[in-house]
Structure formats: structure tokens, C-alpha cells
């Protein structure tokens, strides 16, 4: 780990360059979309006359040339300021901070469930290759991969909430229940079950198929045959030798997808009325709230970069032969 500091320093430099390019590109793409935020705000205020619309444009700097708006925005982001929501009259950082705990709870839980479940199912399928359990896991994984996330969420609501009444369908917690302590925690966890399973099911299918394919490739290598010749237990061979070497491709994909979970949570948060960043992004699109949308894009980009750096560091823990490099 002697090269850890140069590695992190090099990645930070690259991250700054990448984030700058992302900020500029996102700004241009968002402002190229049809729609006028001033018209939306004026319509909501009930005074959509030309003079009032022009006042709103001047108030929020929307009447300036695009390149001036871009330079102003890049300058504020460089100072750690994501701007001000002209729709909700609050700083963007405050809006994101309010929604962040709910989104982290959802995405991290879904990520852990998907990764652990996918690896276990993929390992089980590979160990029983050619048997009925392998075929069943493969078919279920294919169905989960091919089925739209929003449809899965709606079907789970119909089954477990409407038909069986086992789990709540919408929201973060029961409104007006006045629960505290462990009762409130249990209520939140009950609301979390369906969104987590909906979001994690797709990724679980990906990890299961990758784990199965990787294990089938590794299990017949010479070092595995040597381990069997030494008389090691099959469980130790599978988890200590085969899976440890087969897991690297799964870690690669999981590291890339982990940072994208916030984007994937938009549909899930909308279906389940989960008060997270994904729902905030959806509302910002409808309201033409450019600053909020750009702030969420920036935050998501940072998450992707962080997950990629963590993935490279995890490589060295799983396989000591791999060393970090710039």
C-alpha cells in the first residue's frame, strides 16, 4: 500500500478534470431542453404576463447570454455552491441534504442485497451447473433482468400491499402515526422492503449471471485441481479459492453500477413515493428547476467517481497481487 497516496492524488486530479467537463456538459444539455423556468414560475404565480416573466428572468439571471450563465455557474460550483432553487427558494445543497438520508438508505440497502444475493445465487448455480437449481436461477435471473423496474414495483404493490396487506405501499413512514424509537424504525424498515427489493432485483440478476460465468471459468484451473488434490474441503475450495478469484469481474461491474444507483432510484422513488433525491430530480424536471437538476447531476457524478476509486482499492484487498497505480 506504499503507492496509496500517489494513487489517490492522481485520481483526485483526474476527478477534478472529469467533474469540470461534466458540469459544463450537463449545463449545456439542460439549457438546450425545451421549456422556460420563468414561464413555469409565472404560471404558478397566476401572473404569466410578459412583464412579470421578464422580471423573473432578470431576477434569476435567465436573461443573460448562455456563456455568461455558464461561467457564473462554474464559478459557484468551484466554490462548493450548487446554486439556489428559484422554484423552492432554498439552496440546492439544503434540498439535497434533506433528501440524501432517504436515498442512501434505499440505494445502499438495495446495493448490499443485490451484491450479496447475486453472488450467493451465482455461486449456487455454478456449483450445481446443469442441474434443476442452476436452470431455475438462470431463468429467474433472465426474467428479472428483462423486466422493467417500474412494472416490478407495481406488481409487488398489488401483491404484498393490496392483495395480502403485508407491507405498506407508499411513503417513507406512516403519516400521522406518531411513532417513536424502535416502533418508528420498524415502520420505516417496513416501508423500505418493497423499494429495496424492486431496485435491487435487476442488479441481483446481473451479479448472479456474472458470478456463475466467472466461477465456471475458474473452477477447472490448475490451482483448483491442486487444492482438491491436497484434500481440502469443497466449501473451502469454493469460497477460499474459486470465488475469491472469480469475484473480480463482479466487483468491477458492481463498482460502476453502485454510483449509478441514485439515477436508477428515480423510477423506484416515484413509484413508491419515496422522498429521496430521485424523486427530487423528477420534480425538478417537471418544474424546469435547472439549478436543482444540475446539482443532482453533479452529486451523482461525484458518487460515481468515489465508487470507482473504492473499487480499485477493494481490488487490492480481494487479490493482494494487484497494486494500486496512478
Amino acid at each position: 500500500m506504499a503507492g496509496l497516496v500517489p494513487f489517490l492524488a492522481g485520481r483526485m486530479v483526474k476527478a477534478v478534470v472529469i467533474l469540470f467537463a461534466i458540469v459544463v456538459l450537463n449545463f449545456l444539455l439542460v439549457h438546450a431542453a425545451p421549456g422556460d423556468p420563468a414561464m413555469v414560475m409565472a404560471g404558478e404565480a397566476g401572473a404569466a404576463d410578459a412583464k412579470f416573466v421578464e422580471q423573473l428572468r432578470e431576477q434569476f439571471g435567465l436573461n443573460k447570454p448562455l456563456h455568461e450563465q455558464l461561467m457564473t455557474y462554474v464559478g459557484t460550483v468551484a466554490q462548493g455552491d450548487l446554486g439556489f432553487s428559484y422554484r423552492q427558494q432554498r439552496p440546492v445543497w439544503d434540498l439535497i441534504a434533506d433528501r440524501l438520508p432517504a436515498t442512501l438508505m434505499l440505494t445502499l440497502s438495495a446495493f448490499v442485497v443485490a451484491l450479496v444475493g447475486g453472488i450467493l445465487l451465482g455461486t449456487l448455480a455454478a456449483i450445481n451447473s446443469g442441474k434443476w437449481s442452476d436452470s431455475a436461477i438462470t431463468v429467474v435471473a433472465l426474467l428479472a433482468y428483462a423486466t422493467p423496474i417500474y412494472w416490478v414495483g407495481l406488481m409487488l404493490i398489488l401483491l404484498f400491499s393490496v392483495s395480502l396487506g403485508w407491507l405498506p405501499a407508499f411513503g417513507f413512514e406512516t403519516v400521522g402515526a406518531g411513532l417513536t424509537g424502535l416502533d418508528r424504525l420498524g415502520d420505516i424498515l417496513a416501508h423500505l422492503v418493497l423499494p429495496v427489493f424492486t431496485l435491487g432485483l435487476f442488479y441481483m440478476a446481473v451479479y448472479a449471471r456474472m458470478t456463475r460465468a466467472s466461477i465456471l471459468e475458474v473452477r477447472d484451473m490448475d490451482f483448483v485441481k491442486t487444492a482438491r488434490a491436497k484434500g481440502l474441503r469443497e466449501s473451502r475450495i469454493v469460497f477460499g479459492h474459486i470465488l475469491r478469484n472469480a469475484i473480480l469481474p463482479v466487483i468491477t461491474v458492481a463498482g460502476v453500477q453502485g454510483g449509478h444507483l441514485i439515477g436508477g432510484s428515480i423510477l423506484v422513488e416515484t413509484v413508491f413515493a419515496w422522498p429521496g433525491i430521485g424523486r427530487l430530480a423528477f420534480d425538478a424536471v417537471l418544474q424546469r428547476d435547472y439549478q436543482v437538476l444540475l446539482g443532482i447531476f453533479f452529486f451523482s457524478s461525484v458518487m460515481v467517481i468515489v465508487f470507482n476509486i473504492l473499487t480499485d482499492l477493494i481490488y487490492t484487498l480481494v487479490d493482494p497481487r494487484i497494486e494500486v497505480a496512478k
Side-chain angles (χ1 to χ4, degrees):
M1 301 296 288
L4 180 60
V5 174
F7 165 77
L8 291 177
R11 282 305 181 90
M12 289 300 295
V13 173
K14 295 177 182 177
V16 170
V17 176
I18 292 172
L19 284 175
F20 173 78
I22 289 173
V23 167
V24 174
L25 182 61
N26 283 340
F27 183 91
L28 295 177
L29 289 175
V30 167
H31 282 73
D36 186 348
M39 290 294 295
V40 174
M41 288 184 289
E44 292 176 350
D49 62 281
K51 184 176 180 180
F52 183 64
V53 171
E54 187 59 32
Q55 289 177 350
L56 289 175
R57 289 199 181 100
E58 183 177 356
Q59 178 182 353
F60 297 107
L62 298 174
N63 60 337
K64 296 180 180 179
L66 184 61
H67 69 278
E68 291 186 16
Q69 295 184 47
L70 174 60
M71 295 301 295
T72 301
Y73 179 71
V74 172
T76 57
V77 171
Q79 298 173 19
D81 183 7
L82 294 183
F84 191 81
S85 169
Y86 38 69
R87 171 63 180 78
Q88 303 193 43
Q89 296 295 303
R90 293 183 61 191
V92 175
W93 268 125
D94 291 351
L95 293 172
I96 293 178
D98 287 347
R99 303 292 188 100
L100 184 59
T103 292
L104 289 180
M105 185 183 300
L106 171 62
T107 54
L108 292 180
S109 299
F111 183 72
V112 171
V113 168
L115 188 59
V116 174
I119 291 175
L120 291 178
L121 289 175
T123 302
L124 180 62
I127 293 175
N128 298 285
S129 178
K131 298 181 181 179
W132 69 268
S133 56
D134 177 30
S135 300
I137 292 174
T138 301
V139 170
V140 171
L142 282 173
L143 288 175
Y145 182 80
T147 306
I149 291 180
Y150 67 87
W151 189 87
V152 173
L154 293 175
M155 292 303 103
L156 290 178
I157 290 174
L158 287 176
L159 176 60
F160 292 102
S161 298
V162 177
S163 298
L164 299 177
W166 291 354
L167 295 168
F170 307 107
F172 182 78
E173 58 184 317
T174 303
V175 179
L179 301 176
T180 58
L182 292 178
D183 292 334
R184 181 170 184 260
L185 177 60
D187 183 54
I188 294 174
L189 292 178
H191 284 79
L192 186 64
V193 173
L194 292 183
V196 165
F197 188 76
T198 301
L199 182 59
L201 188 61
F202 171 82
Y203 297 99
M204 185 186 299
V206 175
Y207 303 149
R209 289 184 57 79
M210 286 199 64
T211 302
R212 178 185 181 277
S214 189
I215 287 178
L216 291 179
E217 182 180 352
V218 172
R219 69 176 184 178
D220 294 326
M221 291 186 174
D222 291 339
F223 70 90
V224 178
K225 296 178 181 178
T226 302
R228 286 199 173 94
K230 290 180 179 179
L232 297 179
R233 296 192 307 273
E234 187 65 21
S235 59
R236 183 177 178 184
I237 293 174
V238 171
F239 292 101
H241 292 75
I242 298 177
L243 186 58
R244 186 172 184 179
N245 287 274
I247 202 68
L248 288 178
V250 180
I251 292 177
T252 301
V253 175
V256 174
Q257 292 181 336
H260 294 157
L261 280 174
I262 291 180
S265 68
I266 293 178
L267 282 176
V268 174
E269 291 184 4
T270 302
V271 169
F272 290 96
W274 189 261
I277 292 178
R279 181 69 181 274
L280 180 64
F282 180 78
D283 293 338
V285 171
L286 297 180
Q287 298 165 357
R288 304 295 191 274
D289 201 341
Y290 290 160
Q291 297 286 16
V292 173
L293 199 58
L294 289 171
I296 294 172
F297 287 163
F298 177 81
F299 182 79
S300 300
S301 301
V302 172
M303 292 296 295
V304 171
I305 292 174
V306 169
F307 266 85
N308 276 274
I309 294 175
L310 291 177
T311 300
D312 290 337
L313 295 177
I314 292 174
Y315 280 162
T316 62
L317 299 177
V318 176
D319 191 344
R321 296 171 299 178
I322 300 177
E323 296 182 0
V324 293
K326 292 184 181 180

